[in-house]
Amino acid sequence: MNVFRKKDIHQIIQNNVSETTHSLSKNLGVKDLTALGIAAIIGAGIFTTIGKAASEGGPGVVFLFIFTAVACALSAFAYAEFASTLPVSGSAYTYSYVTFGELYAWIIGWALIMEYAIGNITVAIGWSGYFTAFLHSFKIDMPAWLCTDYFSAKNGFIEAQKILSENHSFSLLSYHLQKSYQAWLHAPSFGPIKMILDLPALLIVILITYLVYRGIEESKKASNIMVAIKLIIIILVITFGVFYISVDNWQPFMPNGITGILSGVSAVFFAYIGFDAISTTAEECKNPQKDLPKGMMYAIIISTVLYCLISLVLTGMVNYKYLNVEDPLAFVFSQHHLNFLSGIVSISAIVAMASVLLVFQLGQPRIWMSMSRDGLLPPIFAKIHPKHKTPAFSTFITGLIVSIGTLVFNLSTVTDLTSIGTLFAFVLVSAGVLRLHQMPDAPERKFKTPYINAQWIIPLAFAISIISSFYFNPIASKNFITNQSIVTHKDTLMKIIETNTSLQQEMLMLMKVTHISQLKAQIYLLNETELYNQLLPLAEKHHKLYCSSLHGFIVNLPLWIFWLIFLYFTIESFIKKHSLIPVAGLLTCLYMMSQIEFKNWIGFLIWLIIGLFIYLTYSIKHSKLNTQQP
């Protein structure tokens, strides 16, 4: 069987025009699409992960927001061109089917399922955090076992017990460990099983799933209202926050250099994912060829401006070192005793993150539906509700999966997995546009990515990247190539410890001291060999402290892959004169993928292997392209 068989673009367009049984309701215009894009982008990122990124990159994280926005905009060109060519549901899955073939389409479809499902779990957990904080402002506190997940409570309890056994005070535990300890300690039990669940996260998933099930018109109205509310509140927050900025907090602007800024790449990129979900609504657009490209671009531009302003206000109001908290926006106002604004931020977060959940819950069922239409999934996934005109069964399954996920996953586990799945889709869509440009029978597009000859620009960018790496970071570049075992420099080590409360507690116990000043004094007294021996117990968990040559190669493998692909496209662009925008989009997204920790690549590969098993045992035989073959 040919796993690289491709769908015919002209046949897809013809089927879309004549399709009646599986038709969706067309209700979306450019304003609605822009609102959906803003709803998806401005949400969990600006209210949760922005704090983590700022704590590592300092005020200079604003550059990372701009870089990420450019990368997303480059990918948005590719999405827009495909959307104007194939105005059907399916997004990157359908685009890969016509350019690379069925196996690639399955892989990207499976990755998108992970992106939307895990993204929704992330957003639901974040929403729960802000909702419980909002209730707390009214002195209403839910039991800890009703607002955390099972494994976080269990692992946190074990870690807290270990710390307490060393005669440390309970008050020295981080907020997360205190909450986990209390949840596990006080949770009701049914035999050996503790009754622990994140109830607010579960309830919001059920509510949003029902809204999406009811219809696109209801979803559109809800999205527009939520976007208006959160934009008003975010502008209010920026306006008030400006008066509490201390310029001293912006010094130094890049405390950990470029490395510190880039370490937040997955957190910042998570703040942008979602604009691609707009393309899954192509069949529900009144004029997808014109409106989809505009909606994507408008959403990215508006969101980037707000992100940059928010990050500057955030790091100006409070020193970047203290921003690695679950609710950074509410936190900075509480530090200035502006509790009323802290409450407003919590309300805005509740609305904003619900709107993200809405868009993601719209996107995933339409991926299921598209794959089912092609025979890669059972037919029931493509079933359209006769009254509501929505993919009913797919919507129900999406809600079920996300609901279960909120019970077992925690925020740190799922953020990076979502980012890697999304970036993978962006890379394939950008590559797909390059392939589309080479197809002799490609139909006319109402939107086409502007052509800029990459023949000299990409080779020049490759040369500048190599030279800059050795000029600005010669030691790290040399170690990357020679793959030497390295111990983190003491100054860098202290910066890592100061911004990582969990590691800080581990180091205090390891060195048998009680204060960070004592820890710092001990570290600077040790020579490199002694420091190596001290760090060895933590090296496996915190590879930034010490890297063996083998571990260093494994950790750097994604970056090696990036440089090899960069070299390949440098040669390809020079020979074939590729279009600059899709090549640049592919390379920037691939670079961001290479900056995500290797453990998340393992999780991503496991997910793809599971998907490949399903494809080989079911999809390859039931594919409509297979049944159509003589």
Side-chain angles (χ1 to χ4, degrees):
M1 296 181 183
N2 182 12
V3 297
F4 299 109
R5 52 201 172 200
K6 300 175 184 177
K7 294 182 71 174
D8 182 76
I9 295 179
H10 301 279
Q11 187 66 42
I12 293 174
I13 297 172
Q14 183 180 344
N15 290 344
N16 186 51
V17 172
S18 60
E19 183 69 62
T20 56
T21 306
H22 297 295
S23 61
L24 300 174
S25 180
K26 296 183 181 295
N27 284 293
L28 304 177
V30 64
K31 291 181 180 178
D32 304 313
L33 291 167
T34 303
L36 284 172
I38 295 172
I41 297 171
I42 300 180
I46 204 168
F47 291 103
T48 55
T49 57
I50 190 174
K52 179 178 182 293
S55 71
E56 295 173 341
V61 75
V62 67
F63 296 128
L64 186 54
F65 277 107
I66 295 171
F67 171 74
T68 307
V70 170
C72 289
L74 293 171
S75 299
F77 274 108
Y79 271 93
E81 182 166 347
F82 267 120
S84 70
T85 308
L86 296 165
V88 296
S89 294
S91 185
Y93 159 75
T94 303
Y95 308 155
S96 298
Y97 216 147
V98 300
T99 52
F100 295 110
E102 187 172 280
L103 180 59
Y104 285 97
W106 171 266
I107 291 172
I108 199 63
W110 192 246
L112 286 173
I113 289 170
M114 182 187 73
E115 172 198 342
Y116 291 130
I118 295 184
N120 278 344
I121 294 168
T122 308
V123 175
I125 294 170
W127 186 91
S128 174
Y130 268 95
F131 181 73
T132 52
F134 175 69
L135 292 180
H136 178 73
S137 65
F138 291 98
K139 302 189 184 305
I140 301 172
D141 291 311
M142 294 181 65
W145 57 272
L146 277 179
C147 50
T148 191
D149 64 277
Y150 183 88
F151 290 105
S152 288
K154 182 179 180 181
N155 296 334
F157 179 79
I158 294 171
E159 188 175 347
Q161 271 194 322
K162 182 179 178 182
I163 295 172
L164 294 174
S165 67
E166 299 286 338
N167 296 320
H168 288 276
S169 170
F170 182 78
S171 61
L172 292 177
L173 297 176
S174 66
Y175 170 76
H176 171 71
L177 286 182
Q178 288 184 22
K179 180 180 176 182
S180 299
Y181 183 86
Q182 296 285 3
W184 189 264
L185 190 66
H186 299 295
S189 300
F190 290 93
I193 301 174
K194 292 277 188 177
M195 188 64 184
I196 298 174
L197 73 159
D198 195 335
L199 185 61
L202 183 64
L203 292 178
I204 190 62
V205 170
I206 294 172
L207 178 63
I208 293 295
T209 301
Y210 176 72
L211 181 61
V212 171
Y213 174 84
R214 288 280 300 175
I216 191 67
E217 180 67 23
E218 290 80 1
S219 301
K220 178 187 76 173
K221 290 177 180 178
S223 173
N224 290 345
I225 292 170
M226 287 189 283
V227 166
I229 292 172
K230 71 180 175 183
L231 286 182
I232 291 170
I233 294 178
I234 286 172
I235 292 170
L236 180 68
V237 165
I238 293 171
T239 305
F240 270 89
V242 165
F243 295 101
Y244 292 88
I245 289 176
S246 171
V247 179
D248 291 340
N249 287 329
W250 286 341
Q251 302 297 328
F253 201 74
M254 296 191 298
N256 297 320
I258 297 295
T259 304
I261 292 174
L262 290 176
S263 65
V265 68
S266 63
V268 168
F269 181 75
F270 182 77
Y272 276 94
I273 67 171
F275 81 84
D276 60 313
I278 304 174
S279 64
T280 66
T281 65
E283 284 186 40
E284 291 147 293
C285 297
K286 297 173 184 175
N287 189 353
Q289 286 91 343
K290 289 178 62 178
D291 293 347
L292 271 171
K294 290 180 181 178
M296 288 182 184
M297 294 301 176
Y298 293 162
I300 290 174
I301 292 169
I302 294 170
S303 300
T304 301
V305 171
L306 292 175
Y307 272 146
C308 290
L309 292 175
I310 281 286
S311 62
L312 288 172
V313 168
L314 205 65
T315 54
M317 291 180 68
V318 173
N319 189 282
Y320 73 94
K321 295 178 183 178
Y322 305 108
L323 290 176
N324 191 13
V325 293
E326 292 182 349
D327 52 350
L329 262 68
F331 171 77
V332 296
F333 285 107
S334 66
Q335 292 299 296
H336 288 275
H337 308 291
L338 299 171
N339 293 328
F340 75 98
L341 271 176
S342 182
I344 289 175
V345 168
S346 294
I347 295 172
S348 177
I350 290 169
V351 174
M353 295 168 80
S355 68
V356 177
L357 193 60
L358 173 65
V359 178
F360 277 23
Q361 288 293 84
L362 272 173
Q364 184 172 343
R366 283 145 184 82
I367 301 295
W368 292 103
M369 180 188 70
S370 298
M371 296 174 75
S372 176
R373 285 177 176 179
D374 296 328
L376 303 186
L377 290 174
I380 193 171
F381 285 93
K383 186 177 180 181
I384 303 299
H385 194 284
K387 179 181 177 182
H388 303 310
K389 297 296 181 181
T390 57
F393 182 78
S394 294
T395 302
F396 170 77
I397 291 296
T398 297
L400 182 64
I401 291 172
V402 177
S403 296
I404 294 172
T406 61
L407 303 179
V408 296
F409 288 114
N410 58 57
L411 197 63
S412 60
T413 301
V414 293
T415 301
D416 287 348
L417 275 176
T418 307
S419 296
I420 200 170
T422 308
L423 284 165
F424 184 64
F426 287 4
V427 167
L428 275 188
V429 171
S430 297
V433 165
L434 292 173
R435 182 70 64 89
L436 187 65
H437 291 169
Q438 297 170 358
M439 295 173 65
D441 59 340
E444 286 295 319
R445 281 91 77 192
K446 292 188 178 180
F447 176 86
K448 192 171 183 179
T449 303
Y451 177 78
I452 302 172
N453 191 349
Q455 184 178 28
W456 296 104
I457 299 176
I458 293 299
L460 181 62
F462 183 80
I464 291 174
S465 299
I466 295 291
I467 294 169
S468 299
S469 297
F470 279 94
Y471 181 80
F472 291 107
N473 208 344
I475 297 175
S477 299
K478 179 184 176 183
N479 289 333
F480 173 73
I481 293 175
T482 58
N483 199 38
Q484 293 180 350
S485 302
I486 56 170
V487 176
T488 302
H489 189 273
K490 292 178 181 179
D491 293 338
T492 307
L493 175 62
M494 284 310 306
K495 288 178 181 178
I496 295 172
I497 293 171
E498 287 171 356
T499 57
N500 189 325
T501 53
S502 175
L503 174 60
Q504 191 176 121
Q505 288 183 339
E506 292 181 68
M507 289 293 294
L508 288 170
M509 288 189 292
L510 189 68
M511 298 286 198
K512 295 182 171 56
V513 292
T514 57
H515 196 270
I516 193 167
S517 59
Q518 298 171 315
L519 176 64
K520 185 175 182 179
Q522 278 210 25
I523 286 175
Y524 279 97
L525 284 173
L526 300 174
N527 60 37
E528 186 172 290
T529 303
E530 292 169 334
L531 183 60
Y532 160 73
N533 291 328
Q534 288 284 356
L535 294 178
L536 196 58
L538 299 177
E540 189 66 29
K541 185 175 179 182
H542 302 281
H543 67 263
K544 290 181 180 179
L545 307 183
Y546 167 79
C547 269
S548 66
S549 57
L550 176 61
H551 192 253
F553 175 75
I554 294 172
V555 168
N556 289 322
L557 188 58
L559 193 56
W560 275 109
I561 294 172
F562 163 75
W563 281 112
L564 291 173
I565 294 177
F566 196 171
L567 177 61
Y568 170 79
F569 274 100
T570 297
I571 299 170
E572 274 271 307
S573 297
F574 183 79
I575 296 172
K576 298 184 178 179
K577 300 181 181 180
H578 285 314
S579 176
L580 175 64
I581 291 177
V583 173
L586 183 152
L587 292 174
T588 50
C589 289
L590 197 63
Y591 177 74
M592 287 193 287
M593 285 182 75
S594 72
Q595 296 302 301
I596 296 175
E597 289 191 51
F598 188 77
K599 64 180 182 180
N600 296 295
W601 281 80
I602 298 296
F604 181 62
L605 289 173
I606 291 172
W607 177 258
L608 291 185
I609 290 170
I610 294 171
L612 188 61
F613 175 78
I614 295 173
Y615 174 75
L616 294 175
T617 55
Y618 177 87
S619 306
I620 194 172
K621 294 181 290 186
H622 293 84
S623 168
K624 289 188 177 179
L625 290 188
N626 180 51
T627 58
Q628 290 169 5
Q629 289 178 350

